[in-house]
CSV table of all heavy atoms in Angstrom, one decimal:
chain,number,residue,atom,x,y,z
A,234,THR,N,-6.7,4.2,4.0
A,234,THR,CA,-6.1,4.6,2.7
A,234,THR,C,-4.6,4.7,2.9
A,234,THR,O,-4.2,5.6,3.7
A,234,THR,CB,-6.8,5.9,2.2
A,234,THR,OG1,-8.2,5.8,2.2
A,234,THR,CG2,-6.2,6.2,0.9
A,235,ILE,N,-3.9,4.0,2.1
A,235,ILE,CA,-2.5,4.0,2.2
A,235,ILE,C,-2.0,4.7,0.9
A,235,ILE,O,-2.0,4.2,-0.2
A,235,ILE,CB,-1.9,2.6,2.2
A,235,ILE,CG1,-2.5,1.8,3.4
A,235,ILE,CG2,-0.4,2.6,2.3
A,235,ILE,CD1,-2.1,0.3,3.4
A,236,ARG,N,-1.5,6.0,1.2
A,236,ARG,CA,-1.1,6.8,0.0
A,236,ARG,C,0.4,6.8,-0.1
A,236,ARG,O,1.2,6.6,0.8
A,236,ARG,CB,-1.5,8.3,0.3
A,236,ARG,CG,-3.0,8.4,0.6
A,236,ARG,CD,-3.4,9.8,0.9
A,236,ARG,NE,-4.7,9.9,1.5
A,236,ARG,CZ,-5.9,9.9,0.9
A,236,ARG,NH1,-5.8,9.7,-0.5
A,236,ARG,NH2,-7.0,9.9,1.5
A,237,ASP,N,0.9,7.1,-1.3
A,237,ASP,CA,2.3,7.2,-1.6
A,237,ASP,C,3.0,5.9,-1.1
A,237,ASP,O,4.1,6.0,-0.4
A,237,ASP,CB,2.9,8.4,-1.0
A,237,ASP,CG,2.2,9.7,-1.5
A,237,ASP,OD1,1.9,9.7,-2.7
A,237,ASP,OD2,2.0,10.6,-0.7
A,238,SER,N,2.5,4.8,-1.4
A,238,SER,CA,3.2,3.5,-1.0
A,238,SER,C,4.4,3.3,-1.8
A,238,SER,O,4.8,4.0,-2.7
A,238,SER,CB,2.2,2.3,-1.2
A,238,SER,OG,1.9,2.1,-2.5
A,239,LYS,N,5.2,2.3,-1.4
A,239,LYS,CA,6.4,2.0,-2.1
A,239,LYS,C,6.2,1.7,-3.6
A,239,LYS,O,7.1,2.0,-4.4
A,239,LYS,CB,7.1,0.7,-1.4
A,239,LYS,CG,8.5,0.5,-1.9
A,239,LYS,CD,9.1,-0.7,-1.1
A,239,LYS,CE,10.5,-1.0,-1.5
A,239,LYS,NZ,11.1,-2.1,-0.7
A,240,SER,N,5.1,1.1,-4.0
A,240,SER,CA,4.8,0.9,-5.4
A,240,SER,C,4.4,2.1,-6.1
A,240,SER,O,4.3,2.1,-7.4
A,240,SER,CB,3.7,-0.2,-5.5
A,240,SER,OG,2.5,0.3,-5.0
A,241,GLY,N,4.1,3.2,-5.4
A,241,GLY,CA,3.7,4.4,-6.0
A,241,GLY,C,2.2,4.5,-6.2
A,241,GLY,O,1.7,5.5,-6.7
A,242,LYS,N,1.5,3.5,-5.8
A,242,LYS,CA,0.0,3.5,-6.0
A,242,LYS,C,-0.7,3.6,-4.6
A,242,LYS,O,-0.2,3.1,-3.6
A,242,LYS,CB,-0.4,2.2,-6.7
A,242,LYS,CG,0.1,2.0,-8.1
A,242,LYS,CD,-0.4,0.7,-8.7
A,242,LYS,CE,0.1,0.6,-10.2
A,242,LYS,NZ,-0.3,-0.7,-10.8
A,243,THR,N,-1.9,4.1,-4.6
A,243,THR,CA,-2.7,4.1,-3.4
A,243,THR,C,-3.4,2.8,-3.3
A,243,THR,O,-3.9,2.3,-4.3
A,243,THR,CB,-3.7,5.3,-3.5
A,243,THR,OG1,-3.1,6.5,-3.5
A,243,THR,CG2,-4.7,5.3,-2.3
A,244,ARG,N,-3.5,2.3,-2.1
A,244,ARG,CA,-4.2,1.0,-1.9
A,244,ARG,C,-4.9,1.2,-0.5
A,244,ARG,O,-4.8,2.2,0.2
A,244,ARG,CB,-3.2,-0.2,-1.8
A,244,ARG,CG,-2.4,-0.3,-0.6
A,244,ARG,CD,-1.6,-1.6,-0.7
A,244,ARG,NE,-1.0,-2.0,0.6
A,244,ARG,CZ,0.1,-1.5,1.1
A,244,ARG,NH1,0.8,-0.6,0.4
A,244,ARG,NH2,0.6,-1.9,2.3
A,245,TYR,N,-5.7,0.1,-0.2
A,245,TYR,CA,-6.5,0.2,1.0
A,245,TYR,C,-6.2,-1.0,1.9
A,245,TYR,O,-5.9,-2.1,1.4
A,245,TYR,CB,-8.0,0.2,0.6
A,245,TYR,CG,-8.4,1.4,-0.2
A,245,TYR,CD1,-8.4,1.3,-1.6
A,245,TYR,CD2,-8.7,2.6,0.4
A,245,TYR,CE1,-8.7,2.4,-2.4
A,245,TYR,CE2,-9.0,3.7,-0.4
A,245,TYR,CZ,-9.0,3.6,-1.8
A,245,TYR,OH,-9.3,4.7,-2.6
A,246,ALA,N,-6.3,-0.8,3.2
A,246,ALA,CA,-6.2,-1.8,4.2
A,246,ALA,C,-7.5,-1.9,4.9
A,246,ALA,O,-8.3,-0.9,4.9
A,246,ALA,CB,-5.1,-1.6,5.1
A,247,TYR,N,-7.8,-3.0,5.5
A,247,TYR,CA,-9.1,-3.2,6.1
A,247,TYR,C,-9.0,-3.6,7.6
A,247,TYR,O,-8.1,-4.3,8.0
A,247,TYR,CB,-9.9,-4.3,5.3
A,247,TYR,CG,-10.0,-4.0,3.9
A,247,TYR,CD1,-9.0,-4.4,2.9
A,247,TYR,CD2,-11.0,-3.1,3.4
A,247,TYR,CE1,-9.1,-4.1,1.6
A,247,TYR,CE2,-11.1,-2.8,2.1
A,247,TYR,CZ,-10.1,-3.2,1.2
A,247,TYR,OH,-10.2,-2.9,-0.2
A,248,PHE,N,-10.0,-3.1,8.4
A,248,PHE,CA,-9.9,-3.3,9.8
A,248,PHE,C,-10.1,-4.8,10.2
A,248,PHE,O,-10.9,-5.5,9.5
A,248,PHE,CB,-11.0,-2.5,10.5
A,248,PHE,CG,-10.8,-1.0,10.5
A,248,PHE,CD1,-9.8,-0.4,9.8
A,248,PHE,CD2,-11.7,-0.2,11.1
A,248,PHE,CE1,-9.6,0.9,9.8
A,248,PHE,CE2,-11.6,1.2,11.1
A,248,PHE,CZ,-10.5,1.8,10.5
A,249,THR,N,-9.5,-5.2,11.2
A,249,THR,CA,-9.9,-6.3,12.0
A,249,THR,C,-10.6,-5.8,13.2
A,249,THR,O,-10.6,-4.6,13.5
A,249,THR,CB,-8.7,-7.2,12.3
A,249,THR,OG1,-7.8,-6.4,13.2
A,249,THR,CG2,-8.0,-7.7,11.1
A,250,GLU,N,-11.2,-6.7,14.0
A,250,GLU,CA,-11.8,-6.2,15.2
A,250,GLU,C,-10.8,-5.6,16.1
A,250,GLU,O,-11.1,-4.5,16.8
A,250,GLU,CB,-12.5,-7.4,15.9
A,250,GLU,CG,-13.3,-7.1,17.1
A,250,GLU,CD,-14.0,-8.3,17.7
A,250,GLU,OE1,-14.2,-9.3,17.0
A,250,GLU,OE2,-14.3,-8.3,18.9
A,251,ALA,N,-9.6,-6.1,16.2
A,251,ALA,CA,-8.6,-5.6,17.1
A,251,ALA,C,-8.1,-4.2,16.6
A,251,ALA,O,-8.0,-3.3,17.4
A,251,ALA,CB,-7.4,-6.5,17.2
A,252,THR,N,-7.9,-4.0,15.3
A,252,THR,CA,-7.4,-2.7,14.8
A,252,THR,C,-8.5,-1.7,14.9
A,252,THR,O,-8.2,-0.5,15.2
A,252,THR,CB,-6.9,-2.8,13.4
A,252,THR,OG1,-8.0,-3.4,12.6
A,252,THR,CG2,-5.7,-3.7,13.3
A,253,ARG,N,-9.8,-2.1,14.8
A,253,ARG,CA,-10.8,-1.1,14.9
A,253,ARG,C,-10.9,-0.6,16.3
A,253,ARG,O,-10.9,0.6,16.6
A,253,ARG,CB,-12.2,-1.7,14.5
A,253,ARG,CG,-13.3,-0.7,14.7
A,253,ARG,CD,-14.7,-1.3,14.4
A,253,ARG,NE,-15.7,-0.3,14.6
A,253,ARG,CZ,-16.0,0.7,13.7
A,253,ARG,NH1,-15.4,0.7,12.6
A,253,ARG,NH2,-16.9,1.6,14.0
A,254,GLY,N,-10.8,-1.5,17.3
A,254,GLY,CA,-10.9,-1.1,18.7
A,254,GLY,C,-9.7,-0.2,19.0
A,254,GLY,O,-9.8,0.8,19.8
A,255,MET,N,-8.5,-0.5,18.5
A,255,MET,CA,-7.3,0.2,18.8
A,255,MET,C,-7.4,1.7,18.2
A,255,MET,O,-7.2,2.7,18.9
A,255,MET,CB,-6.1,-0.5,18.2
A,255,MET,CG,-4.8,0.3,18.4
A,255,MET,SD,-4.4,1.4,17.0
A,255,MET,CE,-4.0,0.2,15.8
A,256,LEU,N,-7.9,1.8,17.0
A,256,LEU,CA,-8.0,3.1,16.3
A,256,LEU,C,-9.1,4.0,17.0
A,256,LEU,O,-8.9,5.2,17.2
A,256,LEU,CB,-8.3,2.9,14.9
A,256,LEU,CG,-7.1,2.4,14.0
A,256,LEU,CD1,-7.6,2.0,12.6
A,256,LEU,CD2,-6.0,3.4,13.9
A,257,GLU,N,-10.2,3.3,17.4
A,257,GLU,CA,-11.2,4.1,18.1
A,257,GLU,C,-10.7,4.6,19.4
A,257,GLU,O,-11.1,5.7,19.8
A,257,GLU,CB,-12.5,3.2,18.3
A,257,GLU,CG,-13.3,2.9,17.0
A,257,GLU,CD,-14.5,2.0,17.2
A,257,GLU,OE1,-14.5,1.3,18.2
A,257,GLU,OE2,-15.4,2.1,16.5
A,258,SER,N,-9.9,3.9,20.1
A,258,SER,CA,-9.4,4.3,21.4
A,258,SER,C,-8.4,5.5,21.2
A,258,SER,O,-8.2,6.3,22.1
A,258,SER,CB,-8.7,3.2,22.1
A,258,SER,OG,-7.5,2.8,21.4
A,259,LEU,N,-7.8,5.6,20.0
A,259,LEU,CA,-6.8,6.7,19.8
A,259,LEU,C,-7.5,7.9,19.2
A,259,LEU,O,-7.0,9.0,19.4
A,259,LEU,CB,-5.8,6.2,18.7
A,259,LEU,CG,-4.8,5.1,19.2
A,259,LEU,CD1,-3.9,4.8,18.0
A,259,LEU,CD2,-4.0,5.5,20.4
A,260,TYR,N,-8.6,7.8,18.6
A,260,TYR,CA,-9.3,8.9,17.9
A,260,TYR,C,-10.0,9.8,19.0
A,260,TYR,O,-10.8,9.3,19.8
A,260,TYR,CB,-10.3,8.5,16.9
A,260,TYR,CG,-10.9,9.6,16.1
A,260,TYR,CD1,-10.1,10.4,15.3
A,260,TYR,CD2,-12.3,9.9,16.2
A,260,TYR,CE1,-10.7,11.5,14.6
A,260,TYR,CE2,-12.8,10.9,15.5
A,260,TYR,CZ,-12.0,11.7,14.8
A,260,TYR,OH,-12.6,12.8,14.1
A,261,ASN,N,-9.6,11.1,18.9
A,261,ASN,CA,-10.2,12.0,19.8
A,261,ASN,C,-10.5,13.4,19.1
A,261,ASN,O,-10.2,14.4,19.6
A,261,ASN,CB,-9.3,12.3,21.0
A,261,ASN,CG,-9.9,13.1,22.1
A,261,ASN,OD1,-11.1,13.0,22.3
A,261,ASN,ND2,-9.1,13.8,22.9
A,262,GLY,N,-11.1,13.2,17.9
A,262,GLY,CA,-11.5,14.4,17.1
A,262,GLY,C,-10.3,15.1,16.5
A,262,GLY,O,-10.4,16.3,16.2
A,263,GLN,N,-9.2,14.4,16.3
A,263,GLN,CA,-8.1,15.0,15.6
A,263,GLN,C,-8.4,15.5,14.2
A,263,GLN,O,-9.3,14.9,13.5
A,263,GLN,CB,-6.9,14.1,15.6
A,263,GLN,CG,-6.3,13.7,16.9
A,263,GLN,CD,-6.9,12.5,17.5
A,263,GLN,OE1,-8.0,12.2,17.3
A,263,GLN,NE2,-6.1,11.7,18.3
A,264,ALA,N,-7.7,16.5,13.7
A,264,ALA,CA,-7.9,17.0,12.4
A,264,ALA,C,-7.4,16.0,11.4
A,264,ALA,O,-6.6,15.2,11.6
A,264,ALA,CB,-7.1,18.3,12.2
């Protein structure tokens, strides 16, 4: 979820296989 974008609207971005793997490797139960 991309909030407060330059256009002022919220929009969504979608995972690729590479971005999913990267984000899963970074996630460690953060708030």
Side-chain angles (χ1 to χ4, degrees):
T234 302
I235 303 172
R236 307 179 194 278
D237 303 321
S238 65
K239 190 175 180 180
S240 66
K242 296 180 180 179
T243 296
R244 73 177 195 278
Y245 300 93
Y247 304 93
F248 290 3
T249 60
E250 186 176 335
T252 55
R253 178 181 180 83
M255 178 269 290
L256 290 168
E257 285 180 336
S258 69
L259 294 178
Y260 184 63
N261 190 29
Q263 293 93 328

